[in-house]
């Protein structure tokens, strides 16, 4: 968000200098890095949409008006222009985007103001729906998916992506942001260390740096660490992004880091090719699976103590981890019997 970064300037009473100007540029770089790139893009779109809406209504977006924002939220939930209504989660995201944008401009948006809070509460009460969870990819599913891949360079790469993402319970953005070493590239989201017993991933997560340990599998064909080693070896990658594009003939690795959308497309394509949930129409099958299916698959399939799954997924609470566990026994702890009934 270049326009917001430019608001970081010297105080008006301080004369500029080469050193101070360079510090301003450095501060702007840090400000930009304070939120993820995808979040920055989403917040920029949120502000652009809101500013345009205000102009169409004959109002100005600055300074913040709780009354106008309440009307804006109502229009998102029940549009008067023929556009489809937004989901409650999207409306909440839009409101977060506005609060962030106002903060960058030196204003505070009071989300508890009655003009905002009461409208949002009414939208939730009237339109909220239970969250639609993506299908978890089970162990037998991931094996069937990787079996559909070839053993050319592109197939080796995609096999490593699926197995590493599944075993690590990784987000698709975490997979593609990996570098071979620490500080290889400015846009790195972490790096890898391959050891005798497995691979250690150091990730720059939302809540700070965290480590993800991925042990070696029982056989090479399904081992995520072996798949990673094969890809790095044959792609001749020893520096920079771990997962990059390949030439059209699939024989040469390129320099460009993969986009996280590649992971989503890869999952959907291999789900279809492997015939998973083949009883459903293709459209429904595609809608069931996404990048989150890898994380949900690990959480649902790993038969270990819950706290280890929580650590692997990087969740702050066990409750969040349980949302990913599609097959957990909800009545394993029976408080009714424990209470003597």
């Amino acid at each position: 968000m270049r326009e917001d970064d430019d608001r970081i300037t010297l105080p008006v009473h301080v004369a500029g200098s080469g050193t101070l100007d360079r510090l301003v540029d450095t501060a702007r770089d840090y400000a930009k890095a304070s939120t993820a790139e995808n979040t920055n893009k989403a917040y920029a779109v949120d502000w652009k949409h809101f500013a345009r809406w205000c102009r169409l209504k004959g109002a100005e977006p600055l300074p913040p008006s709780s009354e106008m924002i309440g009307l804006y939220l109502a229009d998102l939930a029940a549009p008067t222009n023929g556009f489809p209504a937004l989901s409650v989660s999207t409306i909440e995201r839009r409101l977060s985007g506005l609060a962030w944008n106002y903060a960058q401009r030196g204003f505070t948006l009071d989300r508890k103001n009655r003009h905002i809070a009461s409208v949002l509460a009414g939208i939730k009460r009237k339109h909220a729906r239970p969250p639609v969870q993506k299908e978890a990819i089970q162990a037998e599913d991931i094996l069937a998916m990787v079996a559909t891949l070839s053993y050319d360079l592109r197939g080796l790469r995609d096999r490593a992506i699926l197995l590493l993402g599944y075993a690590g319970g990784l987000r698709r953005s975490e997979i593609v942001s990996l570098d071979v070493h620490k500080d290889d590239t400015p846009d790195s989201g972490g790096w890898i260390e391959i050891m005798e017993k497995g691979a250690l991933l150091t990730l720059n997560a939302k809540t700070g740096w965290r480590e993800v340990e991925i042990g070696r599998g029982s056989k090479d064909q399904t081992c995520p660490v072996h798949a990673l080693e094969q890809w790095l070896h044959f792609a001749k990658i020893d520096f920079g992004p771990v997962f990059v594009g390949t030439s059209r003939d699939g024989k040469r690795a390129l320099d460009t880091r993969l986009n996280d959308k590649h992971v989503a497309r890869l999952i959907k394509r291999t789900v279809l090719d492997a015939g998973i949930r083949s009883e459903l129409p293709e459209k429904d099958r595609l809608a069931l699976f996404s990048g989150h299916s890898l994380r949900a698959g690990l959480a649902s399939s790993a038969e270990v103590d819950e706290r280890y799954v929580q650590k692997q997924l990087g969740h702050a609470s066990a409750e969040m981890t349980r949302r990913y566990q599609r097959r957990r026994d909800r009545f394993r702890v029976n408080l009714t019997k424990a209470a003597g009934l």
Side-chain angles (χ1 to χ4, degrees), residues 23-53:
L23 283 176
V24 169
D25 291 337
T26 301
R28 287 174 179 170
D29 290 339
Y30 281 130
K32 183 182 176 183
S34 65
T35 50
E37 183 180 353
N38 287 343
T39 303
N40 283 334
K41 291 178 180 178
Y43 284 172
V45 172
D46 292 340
W47 182 256
K48 184 177 179 180
H49 185 273
F50 175 66
R52 182 176 181 275
W53 181 89

Side-chain angles (χ1 to χ4, degrees), residues 15-314:
S17 68
T19 301
L20 287 176
D21 290 342
R22 285 192 293 272
L23 283 176
V24 169
D25 291 337
T26 301
R28 287 174 179 170
D29 290 339
Y30 281 130
K32 183 182 176 183
S34 65
T35 50
E37 183 180 353
N38 287 343
T39 303
N40 283 334
K41 291 178 180 178
Y43 284 172
V45 172
D46 292 340
W47 182 256
K48 184 177 179 180
H49 185 273
F50 175 66
R52 182 176 181 275
W53 181 89
C54 286
R55 287 193 295 270
L56 291 174
K57 305 303 178 188
E60 292 294 331
L62 295 171
S65 165
S66 299
E67 293 86 350
M68 289 303 295
I69 292 174
L71 295 178
Y72 175 66
L73 299 181
D75 202 17
L76 296 178
T80 56
N81 54 10
F83 286 100
L86 298 185
S87 67
V88 172
S89 60
T90 301
I91 292 173
E92 289 184 306
R93 208 289 317 285
R94 286 276 177 92
L95 183 57
S96 296
L98 293 185
W100 188 89
N101 275 285
Y102 276 123
Q104 304 312 301
R105 290 162 171 80
F107 296 97
T108 299
L109 177 62
D110 182 9
R111 298 176 60 163
K112 294 183 180 179
N113 180 284
R114 63 185 180 88
H115 293 286
I116 298 175
S118 60
V119 171
L120 185 59
I123 291 172
K124 289 181 178 180
R125 185 176 182 87
K126 190 171 183 178
H127 299 295
R129 299 286 184 272
V132 178
Q133 293 184 320
K134 293 298 182 179
E135 188 92 350
I137 292 174
Q138 306 299 336
E140 59 270 20
D141 297 333
I142 198 72
L143 296 181
M145 290 163 66
V146 297
T148 67
L149 298 172
S150 63
Y151 281 89
D152 62 4
L153 207 54
R154 189 176 291 118
L156 291 177
R157 177 199 65 194
D158 289 345
R159 182 175 285 100
I161 287 174
L162 289 177
L163 290 174
L164 200 71
Y166 185 81
L170 304 177
R171 299 175 179 87
R172 63 187 192 183
S173 60
E174 292 173 336
I175 297 172
V176 299
S177 68
L178 285 169
D179 277 2
V180 178
H181 310 104
K182 182 181 179 182
D183 300 328
D184 274 359
T185 63
D187 60 340
S188 170
W191 66 92
I192 62 172
E193 295 175 75
I194 298 178
M195 308 172 184
E196 182 181 350
K197 293 185 178 180
L200 177 65
L201 313 184
T202 304
L203 304 175
N204 189 4
K206 293 179 179 179
T207 55
W209 291 98
R210 69 185 181 96
E211 293 182 339
V212 174
E213 295 129 5
I214 300 179
R216 294 187 181 272
S218 55
K219 52 186 177 180
D220 285 348
Q221 294 90 327
T222 60
C223 173
V225 183
H226 179 75
L228 177 62
E229 290 173 322
Q230 292 289 98
W231 157 247
L232 293 175
H233 173 72
F234 286 103
K236 300 177 181 177
I237 294 175
D238 57 10
F239 183 86
V242 170
F243 295 113
V244 296
T246 59
S247 59
R248 186 163 295 183
D249 59 8
K251 295 181 179 180
R252 181 170 55 88
L254 305 177
D255 296 328
T256 309
R257 186 188 302 276
L258 284 180
N259 187 287
D260 65 345
K261 291 183 175 61
H262 174 82
V263 181
R265 291 193 294 265
L266 172 62
I267 290 170
K268 291 178 183 295
R269 187 185 82 236
T270 51
V271 160
L272 291 181
D273 291 346
I276 297 169
R277 298 300 301 272
S278 57
E279 75 278 7
L280 298 175
E282 180 175 310
K283 181 180 178 181
D284 294 342
R285 294 164 68 196
L286 289 174
L288 276 177
F289 296 93
S290 74
H292 261 61
S293 297
L294 294 177
R295 286 167 66 78
L298 176 76
S300 303
S301 300
E303 299 292 339
V304 295
D305 192 294
E306 188 178 77
R307 68 180 184 271
Y308 295 114
V309 179
Q310 179 183 339
K311 178 180 181 294
Q312 190 81 337
L313 298 184

